[in-house]
């Protein structure tokens, strides 16, 4: 009963943690050293918020696949690291966060240019974090892929994640 | 080569179709009559844009499941219809649009109250439409579930879908 | 190091729990009473193993959708209950097992006849169970849908799940 | 009406194409040259059927990730190539087959040893192929990951895919 009530009177303005729990430099180093396969991609942390991140994957010749487009595993690796960074921006450097599942939908065939990943955390529970990642070809406003994923994380204090910037703001 | 170039100079302001291709009343009728199982849920179309929609599923006693929470299939049915409506808002009444895949992640156990679904189309290709749906307990700003799905649609003229309201706007 | 070794010498013949932890009658009653929305579908438990199950969903008029085919949410509800039953067959009656995610791929449009669900558990961890479900139109050997899902379960003793019947047995 | 009837009288013994449409050598070469990122992994085609495949990914030092386990993107790349091979084994060398979506569930943390991928096609439609992949640590009968995916393929003649080896064969 009180659960229902509190849901109804829920805070209109959840306050996200104001500053990320890691710096961009710390995160870039962790990616480069902790996960060499993707670390060697040369990924740059463009911006880092609390629960949000933007990464840039420069194009490399060996990302090509038949059709002259970027190979799926490169995009998957980028998305995986982006969600990892978005989660760590909320809970700090916890190397043992591990992916438990990930779903990738390829929406367009990207040309051979840099890929931008924008990730945000949609839920940070006690043991699981869940978020989504949009991938763009640099300079193009339409996404080339959409990814969702779950990370298993060590138990930690609760963090509220605001998704209000997400709401459909009506029409018709 | 020119594909790459055009990607780089891509339009900063894709213009979404300004008005939805169906009215709320037409869509409510289609849901009620076309798909009786979910149609009987009593779903209301709160708002309808071009590629976006907000639906409201009033709580019913038979949505309960052990733990006093709302059963998954009711949320799935709501999300499925929400994406259906968001797609039809772009291409008009095309009954033969069918779901080809859907992934639902349950983020919190919703209390026994109404569920709000907010869907938006992320890609409208020639034969496939892809989008996502956030589900909320009424009055609570944190989502209870996140859903992504693909609809197979009859071949049609291209429609640009803007996702600029989605971009991570930096930090750090 | 020893983790690697033990992986290499892993048991060639994992022995699944020999008998299901619930009877078919107990499970049918739990479905009917615990989750009324899907319980009202009239689902029958055809067979129940330890970690495997076969359910039958009789066709009902309100399962129809445009195109004369079975509506997705009916198939989703059936798959959800099938995995629930397959998990409970290993750990016994634990009502608070809840779905955390589910992915459904629709492969063919089923005609308006009964749907058969065959589920099996692929992993039963301490807190999460994962499995898959194939759905068939009655009498047709090609699947109409494939579903994977994860259940969150109360902590319990480990159970080994054999998937040897699954292995690709070579060719070429 | 006749659709229903034909479903009921459906062939009890769908005959899969008896021989794969490519040799193991041709497929290994295609992987190595067509998709360099994953091609450099050193993947070996262990066996190839018509719609089934077994691949072996030897362990490499840069597959490690925090916790001493194999990094997710290496497993994703292996699974992606496995499904690619299983699809090509049915339709022949069609480089422009592209992944449209993929869902990976990580079930156990694999030790730093070779990973075996076993893939099979569950549906081969006119334009889409769908299948699943189980990943194992070499020598361990319990899977470390389960993957499902969809490939978009050029229009081609229909091929029946048998999944009878999959059926739950009862109990209780």
């Amino acid at each position: 009963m009180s659960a229902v009530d509190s849901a109804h009177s829920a805070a209109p303005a959840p306050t996200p943690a104001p500053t990320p729990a890691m710096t961009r430099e710390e995160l870039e180093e962790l990616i480069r050293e902790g996960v060499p396969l993707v670390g060697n991609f040369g990924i740059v942390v463009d911006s880092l918020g609390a629960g949000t991140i933007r990464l840039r994957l420069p194009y490399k010749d060996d990302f090509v696949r038949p059709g002259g487009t970027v190979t799926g595993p490169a995009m998957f690796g980028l998305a995986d690291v982006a969600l990892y960074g978005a989660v760590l921006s909320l809970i700090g450097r916890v190397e043992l966060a591990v992916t438990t599942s990930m779903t990738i939908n390829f929406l367009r065939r990207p040309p051979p240019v840099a890929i931008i990943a924008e990730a945000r955390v949609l839920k940070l529970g006690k043991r699981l974090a869940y978020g989504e990642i949009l991938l763009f070809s640099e300079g193009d406003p339409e996404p080339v892929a959409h990814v969702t994923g779950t990370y298993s994380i060590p138990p930690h204090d609760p963090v509220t994640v605001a998704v209000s910037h997400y709401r459909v703001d009506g029409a018709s």
Side-chain angles (χ1 to χ4, degrees), chain A:
Chain A
M1 191 64 169
S2 63
V4 178
D5 290 348
S6 70
H8 269 105
S9 61
T15 41
T19 50
M22 293 181 75
T23 66
R24 291 190 291 167
E25 291 71 24
E26 287 167 343
L27 185 59
E28 279 180 2
E29 188 193 320
L30 179 59
I31 292 172
R32 211 164 42 232
E33 296 181 3
V35 286
L37 179 67
V38 174
N40 290 337
F41 284 2
I43 291 171
V44 175
V45 179
D46 256 10
S47 74
L48 184 64
T52 62
I53 196 170
R54 184 194 290 128
L55 300 182
R56 183 177 185 278
L57 172 68
Y59 180 71
K60 287 189 172 189
D61 281 345
D62 64 355
F63 291 166
V64 78
R65 58 147 289 156
T69 184
V70 178
T71 186
M75 290 193 269
F76 178 88
L78 174 65
D80 189 25
V81 164
L83 186 54
Y84 185 55
V87 171
L88 297 196
S89 78
L90 290 170
I91 62 172
R93 182 173 179 143
V94 177
E95 291 187 15
L96 285 180
V98 292
T99 316
T100 58
S101 70
M102 197 155 272
T103 295
I104 184 163
N105 280 271
F106 298 96
L107 305 177
R108 285 174 195 82
R109 302 190 191 181
V113 302
I115 304 275
I116 307 298
E118 299 190 351
R120 73 198 89 206
V121 175
L122 289 178
K123 186 213 172 175
L124 193 77
K126 231 185 308 179
R127 293 170 186 280
L128 290 177
Y130 174 81
E132 72 175 328
I133 307 101
L134 278 165
L135 301 184
F136 298 87
S137 283
E138 190 164 62
D140 190 337
E142 296 210 52
V144 295
H146 185 235
V147 188
T148 61
T150 301
Y151 263 80
S152 170
I153 52 179
H156 66 99
D157 286 341
V159 178
T160 299
V161 178
V163 298
S164 53
H165 54 292
Y166 242 142
R167 306 300 299 261
V168 167
D169 37 30
S172 171

